Amino acid sequence: MVSCGGDSRELDFLRVRKVTFTTFFEDHYICYAKQRKRTWRRDQELFNLRLKDTFGRKKLTQITRSQIQTFHTGLRNEGLAGATCDHFVKLLRRSLNLAVEWGMLEKNPASGFKLFNEPNAVECYLDDDELHRLLVVLHNDTNRPVCNIALWLLSTGARLNEALRARWDHVDRDTRVWRIPAITAKAKRVRSVPPNDSALAVLDNIDTEEYFDHLFINRKSGKPYTTIHKAWERIRTEAGLPHLRIHDLRHSYASFLVNSGISLFQVQQILGHSQPQVTQRYSHLSTRTLQEAANTAAVIINRASSAPLCHAPGRSPADYGCPPSGHPGGALRGRPWHSLR
């Protein structure tokens, strides 16, 4: 069993049966999650919001599948989105899986539980006018550090956490490589991002290289930013884009690549997606590019339609219903392809 003290020991059967879900979550699960999940605070929040009131006083062995079903359905009846309802059950399932692993529970009642699995991907892509309005603000607003962070996100497709943790020793301007350490990357593996010209321009406009380890520094505190949401809300409102989230800058970067003909495989590598299915969400953006690609077939067909017809050995143009060579109507140029026999 894992505890906050980090020691492993077996609990006697009677003691295990007395452990409530609150005790288990606060004394065992959350301590374990803090060392392994960057989103452990979200787990704590979900527990405090709903799980504690519903399951907190129950002993681990008293939690039933029927209770979980009633809880899950009740959340939906309250008006919560299906994906939100699922998040609570996923956390319950994940924590109880650990209880089973640590010998505190024989079987997980949430195992194999059917979720709503509703798609909840919300994506916003900047059109040309919106991009122009945003850039005007980002280039002129007085809060230069936050504007530079936003420009960096828009120019690299990085996640906010990756940008806020970026260090100068992670960036090589000569080779145009920004290395994101595994501890920062969402997929927990090192990845490299190729900074483009606009990203390098951001580096030229920030003056922290010789004085700080991190790229983006809050001048008031002298420390790296941990959040920019309050300043971002003001900036996006000023640009007339109150709906634009920070993460939408990453989506817009991906749309720039896809609509320029960059393959989804290349986009996957640049964005650092561990699964190609994640990158597939951008496939619909390439409609214009696909239309241009498909039109190459029309070019070939039209070219072949207007070219002189090559007849097979031993057969003459007359066999195809064509006038002999030299005849005023002998040229096939301009005849529709479906008229050839």
Side-chain angles (χ1 to χ4, degrees):
M1 186 196 72
V2 176
S3 66
C4 287
D7 53 81
S8 299
R9 61 185 182 276
E10 301 238 347
L11 295 178
D12 61 87
F13 182 70
L14 292 178
R15 182 182 173 192
V16 168
R17 290 184 63 87
K18 295 180 181 179
V19 174
T20 64
F21 183 64
T22 292
T23 299
F24 168 75
F25 190 92
E26 295 180 343
D27 294 350
H28 304 289
Y29 171 81
I30 204 65
C31 297
Y32 176 88
K34 284 181 180 179
Q35 305 301 320
R36 295 164 176 81
K37 292 185 65 181
R38 288 191 295 271
T39 57
W40 66 268
R41 288 185 177 84
R42 177 57 176 166
D43 288 355
Q44 183 72 67
E45 181 182 5
L46 291 174
F47 172 76
N48 292 336
L49 282 173
R50 304 278 180 166
L51 294 177
K52 187 174 184 177
D53 287 343
T54 304
F55 301 102
R57 295 184 180 85
K58 297 182 183 296
K59 297 180 178 61
L60 294 181
T61 54
Q62 292 178 326
I63 299 175
T64 67
R65 197 175 187 85
S66 175
Q67 293 168 353
I68 298 173
Q69 180 65 70
T70 300
F71 169 73
H72 192 225
T73 303
L75 293 178
R76 188 58 181 273
N77 291 337
E78 289 180 32
L80 273 65
T84 302
C85 300
D86 289 349
H87 284 319
F88 287 100
V89 175
K90 287 178 181 178
L91 175 57
L92 181 63
R93 180 174 60 193
R94 183 164 59 247
S95 60
L96 293 181
N97 274 339
L98 289 175
V100 173
E101 181 179 335
W102 296 336
M104 303 176 71
L105 191 64
E106 291 186 7
K107 184 179 180 181
N108 185 351
S111 179
F113 190 85
K114 188 174 181 179
L115 303 173
F116 292 121
N117 288 323
E118 291 182 355
N120 67 330
V122 178
E123 296 158 10
C124 174
Y125 307 102
L126 293 167
D127 59 30
D128 292 343
D129 177 67
E130 291 172 332
L131 176 61
H132 173 73
R133 300 203 316 262
L134 177 63
L135 290 176
V136 167
V137 176
L138 294 181
H139 285 303
N140 294 281
D141 191 83
T142 56
N143 192 333
R144 299 315 308 151
V146 171
C147 288
N148 283 324
I149 292 173
L151 287 168
W152 181 260
L153 298 175
L154 191 63
S155 301
T156 62
R159 300 177 179 90
L160 178 60
N161 181 62
E162 296 170 340
L164 298 185
R165 293 190 178 188
R167 298 168 57 96
W168 282 107
D169 56 3
H170 297 161
V171 179
D172 189 329
R173 297 200 207 195
D174 294 333
T175 59
R176 290 197 173 205
V177 173
W178 170 31
R179 182 178 58 84
I180 299 178
I183 193 173
T184 302
K186 184 177 180 179
K188 296 185 178 180
R189 66 169 183 264
V190 177
R191 71 184 184 94
S192 297
V193 176
N196 52 30
D197 291 342
S198 59
L200 294 179
V202 173
L203 297 182
D204 292 336
N205 290 328
I206 56 180
D207 55 354
T208 60
E209 185 171 8
E210 298 180 359
Y211 309 100
F212 301 94
D213 293 333
H214 290 78
L215 271 63
F216 305 107
I217 299 295
N218 185 329
R219 289 298 188 175
K220 292 183 179 179
S221 65
K223 298 179 180 180
Y225 280 90
T226 57
T227 180
I228 64 170
H229 287 90
K230 186 176 181 178
W232 172 251
E233 185 174 354
R234 179 185 62 78
I235 289 171
R236 68 181 183 180
T237 301
E238 185 176 342
L241 302 168
H243 61 285
L244 189 68
R245 305 167 305 166
I246 284 288
H247 201 68
D248 290 330
L249 301 181
R250 176 174 167 87
H251 293 315
S252 293
Y253 173 84
S255 73
F256 300 157
L257 300 185
V258 174
N259 284 326
S260 296
I262 305 302
S263 71
L264 290 180
F265 174 77
Q266 291 172 300
V267 174
Q268 176 189 349
Q269 301 306 307
I270 294 175
L271 294 182
H273 291 155
S274 57
Q275 299 293 332
Q277 292 86 346
V278 180
T279 318
Q280 284 292 330
R281 72 174 70 177
Y282 303 113
S283 60
H284 69 282
L285 297 173
S286 60
T287 302
R288 182 176 60 186
T289 303
L290 293 177
Q291 288 174 342
E292 293 174 354
N295 198 52
T296 59
V299 172
I300 295 173
I301 293 172
N302 291 334
R303 183 170 61 240
S305 298
S306 60
L309 183 64
C310 297
H311 57 271
R315 302 188 68 179
S316 67
D319 295 328
Y320 294 90
C322 303
S325 178
H327 188 278
L332 295 176
R333 188 176 301 276
R335 293 182 60 189
W337 66 272
H338 54 74
S339 68
L340 303 179
R341 297 290 188 270

